[in-house]
Structures are given as C-alpha cells and as structure tokens.
Amino acid sequence: METLSIPAGMTEKEYFETVASEADFLKWYKEQDLPTYETPSVTADMVAYCFVEGKLKLLAIRRKAHPYQHRLALVGGFVNKDEDATHACIREVKEEVGLDLPVNKVEQLMTVSTPGRDPRGWVITIAHLVYLPAEAVDLAHAGDDAKEVVFLDVDFKKSQCLLDGEPLAASDFAFDHYQIIQESIKRIQGRLDWNPTFLYLLEEPFTVYEATELVNLINPGRPIVSNNFLVKFGEFVEEVGVKRVPKKKPRKTYRLKQ
C-alpha cells in the first residue's frame, strides 16, 4: 500500500482537498468523508393542472398505502439516479396518464426540505408546476401507490380545492401537499403579467375568447374582456391561423411563444 507523504502541519483531509489530484480526492472522499454525511431521498411532486370545459382541475391520487393512507396526494415519486427532477415528472406523467409531455410544460415550483415532512425519513421534494392537456382527465389511471385517481376543482379566487363540490382542508392531504398547492396558486397569479406560462393549459391554437376565459379563472379579482387580451398578453403569443366558427366571423388563433 502506497504511503502518503503529507506535509507537516497538514491533516489528511486538507491534503486530499488541496494537494492531491482530483481523482485521488474523489477516491478518498467516497471511502472516508462521504459516509459521515446522511443522504436524503429526493422526490418530484407535480401540481398538475388542466383546463376542462371552462374549469381548472388538479390531478391528484388517493393513497392506497401508508403513510397517509386514503388521503389525497399530488402525483409524484422518487427521482432515479439517472434523471433530473424535471424528467422524473415527465416520466411520472407517462406512467400515470400515458402522455408524452414536452419539457416546456413542466417548470420547477419550489424545493421543500422541512425536517419531518415525511414520516418515512429524510425526504426532500422538488415540486413542479405541470400543464396537462384536457384529455388527461380521460387518460389518467391509478398507479401502484394509488387507490384511485381524482381530479379536484380549483377555485383560484378562494385558493381552494374542492372534491364533489366540497371544500378540502390541509388535513385531507398527505404530507405537505396542501401547502404546495397553495404556493402554486400564488406563483401563477403572482407572475400573471410577465410570465403567463399557464396559457399552456389551452389547446393550441387558441382564440382570444378561450384565453380570456382562462385568464379570468386564474385572476378573478382583475377580470379582462376579450378585446383587451392582446393588449395585455400580445407580447407573449403569436398568431398562427384562423378558426372557423359556425354563423360567426372567422377568429384568429394564437399560441404561446416558445
């Protein structure tokens, strides 16, 4: 075994961190230093919205097993070693809904590392906003950890989720998922004027009438009329065609700029 020649007054740790090659440092770190640090598990949870028949809905599951058995939860799961958190969300959408979701419809919302948030141990979650197409309502199915899939109605005016018309409280949800949902509503409303990615909820191409309906659901405290949509959001969308409407003039259609 090779004998180390560590300069006087320098510890082994200091030697490998500042003098040795990076390859030698990494070998030493994995054998000596790494075991002293407890490693957390990491999950990716999705606040997955869709816009269906004039209503904002949120994809959730009812948990089949402990912990928080039978409570509502966001769709998500543990992040694999070979993927980042965003692609973990895309994988979960494929598994739960059967859709290949483009990466631009997934955006990081927040990281939650509150001690004790998961009774199973040290689990950090990276929550994401996910914009699903309306067809997700018909395609979603219960995965291994779900008793059933549910689509909650979301009232952005009251910052409230409802199931079968009944308001839900934090105690109805697993983990800290209720608080994450509340944060998602604040995020979407807070950057309405300068980063309206919620328009990804619309089936493209969309008309200003469809977009105005969605805007007013997101921000009912400051409703707009369709004539003002392009004044407010014109810089974020681009015209792509025309939609024929029976007994009405053709309507221009738009999409959110990439």
Side-chain angles (χ1 to χ4, degrees), residues 3 12 16 42 45 111 132 157 171 183 194 198 202 211 223 254:
T3 303
E12 181 180 297
F16 279 102
V42 179
D45 287 312
T111 299
L132 296 173
K157 184 176 183 178
S171 58
E183 189 62 33
W194 58 273
F198 66 88
L202 295 168
Y254 302 84

Side-chain angles (χ1 to χ4, degrees), residues 12-13 16-17 20-39:
E12 181 180 297
K13 180 179 175 69
F16 279 102
E17 288 181 339
S21 67
E22 183 171 299
D24 286 340
F25 161 74
L26 291 174
K27 183 174 183 292
W28 172 86
Y29 181 82
K30 291 176 182 178
E31 294 174 352
Q32 303 296 326
D33 223 14
L34 183 60
T36 66
Y37 298 101
E38 188 175 348
T39 304

